[in-house]
């Protein structure tokens, strides 16, 4: 976890899988976190984003989001696209993550690769 208002999940992986992933970013006040409403095989799912370690949480103009190096600010309500992968909600890599219940949707996680935002 990194930051406050919002708190974001980060990873230190060089690369996740290289599929195109994305969706609409939303701020969840109950857990002070961001989630993504993503299209997964034609079905909309809500997932927790896991950003690369160089991403910073932001709060600008009353909106929460993230600052992505060499790309810019992505605020709640924006649509994102990047390369990465989906992890299931019960993925063993996330079993010890200290995430508020509201921030741990049943859809699982979306891992976003550094330097891949479009």
């Amino acid at each position: 976890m990194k930051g406050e208002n919002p708190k974001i999940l980060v990873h230190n992986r060089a690369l996740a899988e290289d599929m195109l992933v994305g969706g609409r970013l939303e701020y969840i006040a109950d857990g002070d976190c961001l989630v993504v409403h993503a299209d997964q095989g034609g079905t909309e799912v809500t997932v927790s984003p896991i950003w690369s370690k160089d991403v910073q949480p932001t709060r600008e103009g009353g909106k929460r989001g993230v600052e992505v190096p060499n790309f810019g600010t992505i605020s709640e309500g924006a649509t994102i696209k990047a390369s990465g992968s989906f992890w299931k909600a019960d993925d063993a890599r996330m079993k010890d993550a200290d995430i508020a219940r509201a921030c741990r949707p049943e859809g699982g996680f979306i891992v976003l690769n550094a330097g891949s935002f479009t």
Side-chain angles (χ1 to χ4, degrees):
M1 296 294 282
K2 181 190 262 189
E4 295 290 328
N5 200 13
K7 297 174 186 170
I8 62 171
L9 292 167
V10 295
H11 66 82
N12 62 0
R13 302 169 63 89
L15 287 175
E17 291 180 40
D18 195 22
M19 60 190 279
L20 183 61
V21 296
R24 184 177 43 81
L25 194 63
E26 178 187 3
Y27 174 69
I28 303 293
D30 188 33
D32 192 25
C33 63
L34 299 166
V35 296
V36 174
H37 300 284
D39 179 7
Q40 193 174 36
T43 302
E44 184 177 293
V45 295
T46 302
V47 293
S48 293
I50 306 175
W51 310 90
S52 61
K53 66 182 176 183
D54 57 348
V55 171
Q56 298 296 321
T58 63
R59 185 174 178 182
E60 295 179 7
K63 287 191 170 191
R64 279 94 172 164
V66 293
E67 179 68 27
V68 178
N70 301 314
F71 182 76
T73 300
I74 304 171
S75 297
E76 58 186 292
T79 299
I80 59 173
K81 288 184 184 176
S83 66
S85 61
F86 289 102
W87 291 355
K88 294 185 180 202
D90 62 354
D91 191 292
R93 293 168 284 200
M94 298 306 294
K95 71 177 181 169
D96 294 328
D98 184 21
I99 306 168
R101 178 69 194 125
C103 304
R104 198 176 188 114
E106 292 181 14
F109 302 90
I110 185 172
V111 182
L112 303 161
N113 291 339
S116 69
F117 288 84
T118 62

